[in-house]
């Protein structure tokens, strides 16, 4: 039986490091908002439903200027995100949990990563269908130093074992839903929550291992003005 996939695309960030009044995911890249490129990759994939999570003040904009304007027919819900990234992901998962027929798998992706492609999506799908939770990523090119509080180097991990993590991060839907429910319950009980990605939620609250899948060095997250310049170069290469 063919497995059902959904995607949660996160677009609720403020993008303060971009030094722009416009959130980074809505900045134009070759006359289209950055977010459009991420949505289009999933629109053209095996994904059946896309949950777009944005800032509450951006709901109307995303509906009229993104989803309707660019005809993203697989975006079935546009919902407001939360205070932290993990709150936004949790809201997206809860939206999927309310569907009459829940997906088998969910891909969680940063809307500010416009160069996710069909190869990355397919490799992640293949791995998760083999029974592994997985995240896209690439081995680091530079030597990494672990620093102490005084910024002295205290360790140098073996470079071949160090990866830079990207998105999408892909999970069996019931498993990641349960992990996020445990995270929120822990937070409600007054515990400090410090997670930086979805894999960490699974590792921390479900004691599960996560597999790394080859992404792409071009699958960058646009965070600073320099990233936007690099993205324009990548897009120019793609159009040749």
């Amino acid at each position: 039986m063919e497995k059902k996939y959904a995607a949660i695309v996160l677009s609720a960030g403020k993008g303060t490091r971009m030094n722009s009044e416009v959130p980074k995911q809505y900045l134009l890249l070759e006359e289209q908002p950055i977010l459009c490129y991420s949505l289009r990759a999933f629109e053209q994939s095996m994904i059946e439903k896309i949950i777009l999570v944005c800032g509450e003040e951006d709901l109307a904009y995303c509906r009229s200027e993104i989803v309707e304007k660019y005809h993203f027919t697989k975006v079935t819900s546009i919902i407001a995100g939360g205070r932290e990234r993990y709150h936004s992901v949790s809201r997206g998962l809860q939206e999927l949990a309310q569907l009459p027929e829940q997906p088998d798998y969910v891909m969680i992706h940063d809307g500010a990563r416009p160069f996710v492609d069909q190869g990355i999506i397919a490799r992640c799908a293949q791995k998760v269908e083999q029974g592994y939770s997985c995240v896209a990523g690439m081995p680091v090119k530079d030597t990494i130093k672990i620093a102490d509080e005084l910024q002295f180097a205290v360790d140098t991990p073996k470079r071949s074992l160090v990866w830079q993590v990207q998105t999408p991060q892909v999970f069996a839907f019931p498993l990641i839903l349960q992990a996020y429910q445990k995270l929120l319950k822990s937070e409600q009980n007054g515990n400090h929550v410090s997670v930086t990605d979805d894999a960490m939620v699974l590792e921390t609250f479900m004691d599960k291992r996560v597999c790394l899948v080859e992404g792409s060095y071009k699958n960058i997250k646009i965070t600073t003005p320099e990233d936007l310049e690099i993205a324009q170069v990548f897009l120019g290469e793609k159009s040749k």
Side-chain angles (χ1 to χ4, degrees), residues 24-55:
K24 58 192 175 187
Q25 58 272 21
Y26 307 132
L27 291 173
L28 296 183
L29 187 58
E30 293 295 320
E31 301 183 355
Q32 289 190 28
I34 289 168
L35 176 60
C36 287
Y37 295 89
S38 298
L39 290 174
R40 188 168 292 112
F42 291 106
E43 180 86 15
Q44 296 173 350
S45 75
M46 84 291 282
I47 297 292
E48 294 185 6
K49 298 180 186 299
I50 301 171
I51 309 299
L52 176 57
V53 186
C54 64

Side-chain angles (χ1 to χ4, degrees), residues 185-209:
K185 185 174 181 180
S186 178
E187 184 178 58
Q188 290 165 2
N189 289 337
N191 298 315
H192 174 67
V193 173
S194 178
V195 293
T196 54
D197 72 346
D198 311 296
M200 192 174 177
V201 177
L202 198 69
E203 293 160 344
T204 302
F205 292 94
M206 301 295 287
D207 195 26
K208 297 288 187 179
R209 299 177 73 190

Side-chain angles (χ1 to χ4, degrees), residues 154-227:
V154 295
D155 192 19
T156 306
K158 192 174 180 180
R159 188 168 61 184
S160 61
L161 301 179
V162 181
W163 285 51
Q164 58 189 54
V165 172
Q166 304 172 350
T167 63
Q169 304 201 358
V170 188
F171 311 91
F173 176 70
L175 183 64
I176 194 65
L177 177 65
Q178 185 180 0
Y180 266 90
Q181 288 171 338
K182 287 189 174 184
L183 179 152
L184 292 184
K185 185 174 181 180
S186 178
E187 184 178 58
Q188 290 165 2
N189 289 337
N191 298 315
H192 174 67
V193 173
S194 178
V195 293
T196 54
D197 72 346
D198 311 296
M200 192 174 177
V201 177
L202 198 69
E203 293 160 344
T204 302
F205 292 94
M206 301 295 287
D207 195 26
K208 297 288 187 179
R209 299 177 73 190
V210 176
C211 185
L212 296 164
V213 173
E214 181 186 353
S216 166
Y217 288 116
K218 290 185 177 181
N219 186 26
I220 62 172
K221 185 176 182 181
I222 298 179
T223 304
T224 66
E226 293 79 11
D227 296 330

